[in-house]
Amino acid sequence: MNFGEFMASLNRGEPKPVYLLAGEEEYFIKKAKERLLSLLTQTADAATENLDGNVSPDDIIAAVSSISFFATKTIVLVNNPLFLRTKKSAADDAAKDTPQDTGDKRLERLIKFLPHIPPGNHIIFKFAGKTDKRKSIVKAIAKYGAVLDADRVSPWNINGFLQSKLQEIHRELTPDAHAFFAEAVSFMNPVSLSFLDNEFDKLALFAENRRITKQELSESFAGVPEISNFAVADAIVRRDLPTALKLLLQQMTNGVFMPLVLAVVVNQVRRLLQIKELQKKRASAADIAKALNMNPYIVGKQLKAVEAFDADRLADALCELAEADYRLKTGGDGNNLLLSAVIKLCRC
């Protein structure tokens, strides 16, 4: 299950005896682990034991079965166990669904043990990376417990994180704040969930009302380079020349590394040109969103904006921006060429 589903499951029902927290998004794994340990160690008589990835399945069984003199329940946390790693050789494919994934019978004993974990005790497997869901151990954990699929977040599938975070801080976004967030995040590459998590925590402290406004959100994100660059790209889409020039000149004066700013402008111009080309092929908004890996909301907004741009002018702008990029990286006067290209775009 994804992060939102997993966290919701923790808030209802009895804890499972075994969990697997796996995937490429470390933020999700960290938050799920913290929540799990908070739930499972609410009583003072809980003991937690950490095991590294080289531990054998037999040692895991022994650890969760042991009786402590000082605790009535045991939580065993296994970090990056070797038997969850994906095999790379083609010769191993036929054996992926067999219990002898480690080459002996030890993993088979662990799989058979999972439904018999002593009541009140728990095993949490934490794995940084994708797991093969065809593995017998992964299937067994899903059967007797719960599996978190901590997939890396992209701008177009960030709503799960957003809703979970807003519930955590007991806040909402106004419609225009939500729209601003969706567009701003689309310019983050990669998306930093840790950064967003911290910014929303700050907003929870300083926002005047339960509903966070666009102004509060934009002020909070104002110091982030990606958001500043997003503001430039957004001004170009709106053909707001005074704002675009003001932002660019501010960045030049503040010593911002301009090739990064230019890259965002190029990405925006290329996106507009691609939308126009797909429109010629009578692609729907949903088709365009899928083809360009974009949030459907942003596609809908840019479909209206793209009507003001000429395809030839956009193509010419890409050539000018490429020359500006070359000059910026070779010590030439790329800034003036960037400004010239933006002026032509806003006036086309």
Side-chain angles (χ1 to χ4, degrees):
M1 60 184 78
N2 63 34
F3 178 71
E5 295 168 339
F6 186 87
M7 297 299 278
S9 73
L10 296 182
N11 295 328
R12 61 177 186 270
E14 292 296 319
K16 307 287 186 181
V18 58
Y19 291 93
L20 169 59
L21 315 178
E24 297 176 332
E25 184 50 73
E26 178 60 29
Y27 170 84
F28 285 155
I29 293 176
K30 176 185 175 184
K31 297 296 283 189
K33 173 189 166 186
E34 290 174 351
R35 180 61 178 151
L36 259 177
L37 291 178
S38 173
L39 288 172
L40 301 179
T41 60
Q42 288 180 343
T43 57
D45 59 349
T48 303
E49 182 171 355
N50 286 278
L51 303 177
D52 65 32
N54 293 320
V55 67
S56 76
D58 287 339
D59 289 335
I60 296 172
I61 294 173
V64 78
S65 301
S66 63
I67 300 175
S68 171
F69 289 107
F70 305 102
T72 59
K73 65 188 304 185
T74 301
I75 298 142
V76 177
L77 181 64
V78 187
N79 295 291
N80 296 312
L82 294 177
F83 51 76
L84 285 176
R85 293 182 182 177
T86 302
K87 293 188 171 106
K88 296 182 179 180
S89 63
D92 292 324
D93 287 345
K96 281 182 177 176
D97 197 33
T98 65
Q100 294 86 359
D101 288 303
T102 58
D104 56 37
K105 297 290 185 180
R106 291 174 295 174
L107 189 58
E108 183 179 6
R109 287 196 291 271
L110 175 60
I111 292 170
K112 291 180 177 180
F113 172 75
L114 292 183
H116 306 291
I117 293 174
N121 290 1
H122 306 271
I123 304 174
I124 303 173
F125 296 103
K126 187 169 81 73
F127 187 75
K130 288 184 177 294
T131 59
D132 189 339
K133 294 180 181 179
R134 297 171 295 178
K135 280 179 173 285
S136 53
I137 181 65
V138 177
K139 289 181 178 180
I141 295 171
K143 180 178 180 180
Y144 301 114
V147 176
L148 166 66
D149 295 317
D151 294 331
R152 197 176 298 281
V153 165
S154 301
W156 52 91
N157 67 355
I158 199 170
N159 275 340
F161 160 80
L162 178 61
Q163 295 308 315
S164 175
K165 187 60 187 179
L166 290 174
Q167 289 176 9
E168 178 186 325
I169 62 176
H170 307 292
R171 292 291 190 276
E172 299 175 357
L173 295 183
T174 61
D176 58 346
H178 194 285
F180 174 85
F181 176 81
E183 289 194 80
V185 169
S186 73
F187 284 86
M188 291 184 176
N189 186 27
V191 176
S192 173
L193 294 185
S194 295
F195 162 77
L196 294 175
D197 183 71
N198 289 332
E199 291 305 309
F200 277 111
D201 283 341
K202 294 177 188 176
L203 282 167
L205 290 173
F206 299 110
E208 294 183 0
N209 302 303
R210 178 181 173 84
R211 303 190 82 196
I212 297 171
T213 65
K214 177 183 177 181
Q215 181 177 349
E216 290 172 324
L217 194 62
S218 61
E219 288 176 353
S220 177
F221 288 0
V224 185
E226 292 93 338
I227 305 305
S228 300
N229 297 343
F230 153 67
V232 175
D234 181 61
I236 292 172
V237 170
R238 293 184 286 105
R239 301 178 73 192
D240 183 353
L241 182 57
T243 299
L245 291 180
K246 176 184 176 182
L247 291 168
L248 285 171
L249 290 172
Q250 283 178 345
Q251 290 172 314
M252 292 173 186
T253 302
N254 294 335
V256 173
F257 186 59
M258 292 308 292
L260 293 180
V261 180
L262 186 142
V264 173
V265 176
V266 167
N267 182 55
Q268 181 63 82
V269 174
R270 183 186 296 115
R271 184 183 287 179
L272 291 172
L273 187 57
Q274 289 172 325
I275 290 174
K276 288 193 80 72
E277 291 300 317
L278 289 168
Q279 278 184 316
K280 287 182 182 179
K281 299 177 181 178
R282 300 185 181 279
S284 67
D287 291 335
I288 293 174
K290 183 177 181 180
L292 301 183
N293 284 330
M294 288 174 62
N295 185 310
Y297 166 80
I298 298 174
V299 170
K301 186 175 179 181
Q302 297 208 347
L303 280 172
K304 298 177 182 178
V306 78
E307 296 175 2
F309 292 91
D310 177 75
D312 291 337
R313 178 59 248 162
L314 291 171
D316 290 341
L318 281 178
C319 294
E320 293 180 61
L321 292 169
E323 177 62 23
D325 183 62
Y326 173 77
R327 293 188 187 183
L328 284 170
K329 293 175 179 176
T330 57
D333 188 14
N335 282 341
N336 282 338
L337 194 54
L338 170 58
L339 292 172
S340 175
V342 169
I343 291 170
K344 291 176 183 178
L345 278 168
C346 290
R347 289 179 174 174
C348 70

